[in-house]
Amino acid sequence: MEKIKAFLKSDRFAEIFRFGITGGVSFLVDYGILFALTEFFGVNYLVSSGISFTVSVIVNYFMCILWVFKRVKQNDTKSVVLFVGSSVVGLFINQVLMWFFVEKIHIYYMVAKIIATIIVMIWNYVAKRKAVVG
């Protein structure tokens, strides 16, 4: 019980909490753009998903370096490349999952996006923390 209390008071727990909030904001950006492009502009869900994911990554990046990770490395080229590289992998995972859930399992694309986001979120935390903290 003491270990749990200590963890809840730790910097790591606070960081994970901030990352969750940031993820929520990024998700709303991602989900909103996906819906708007697909429903209002008739863009294919995979194209919309790629665009919305990319915009949300930009929002996520700035929130991570400004708020989530307290020990952010100096904004050097290597950190940015790692962050962008991890985001490209996240985009790939997202797109494959969206295609699989919609085309093969026949899940509505907005529900598929929620499932894909949950899976990609795990990748994002590990990879982005490594990119900005080391």
Side-chain angles (χ1 to χ4, degrees), residues 4-16:
I4 293 171
K5 286 181 183 178
F7 176 71
L8 292 175
K9 292 180 182 180
S10 71
D11 289 340
R12 178 57 66 94
F13 178 76
E15 179 181 276
I16 291 169

Side-chain angles (χ1 to χ4, degrees), residues 31-46:
Y31 206 68
I33 292 172
L34 169 66
F35 182 78
L37 289 175
T38 304
E39 296 298 321
F40 299 132
F41 297 101
V43 178
N44 177 278
Y45 76 94
L46 281 176

Side-chain angles (χ1 to χ4, degrees), residues 31-112:
Y31 206 68
I33 292 172
L34 169 66
F35 182 78
L37 289 175
T38 304
E39 296 298 321
F40 299 132
F41 297 101
V43 178
N44 177 278
Y45 76 94
L46 281 176
V47 174
S48 297
S49 180
I51 293 168
S52 66
F53 186 93
T54 302
V55 172
S56 74
V57 163
I58 294 166
V59 169
N60 186 275
Y61 175 76
F62 285 107
M63 288 184 77
C64 281
I65 64 170
L66 296 174
W67 184 56
V68 174
F69 300 113
K70 295 287 186 179
R71 299 178 329 224
V72 173
K73 289 183 198 174
Q74 188 176 5
N75 204 6
D76 61 4
T77 304
K78 181 180 177 185
S79 296
V80 173
V81 168
L82 287 171
F83 195 95
V84 170
S86 69
S87 297
V88 169
V89 173
L91 174 61
F92 175 77
I93 294 167
N94 177 75
Q95 294 297 89
V96 168
L97 291 172
M98 286 293 292
W99 170 82
F100 179 75
F101 292 140
V102 173
E103 300 297 330
K104 298 299 179 186
I105 300 181
H106 306 289
I107 296 174
Y108 180 57
Y109 79 97
M110 295 301 285
V111 174

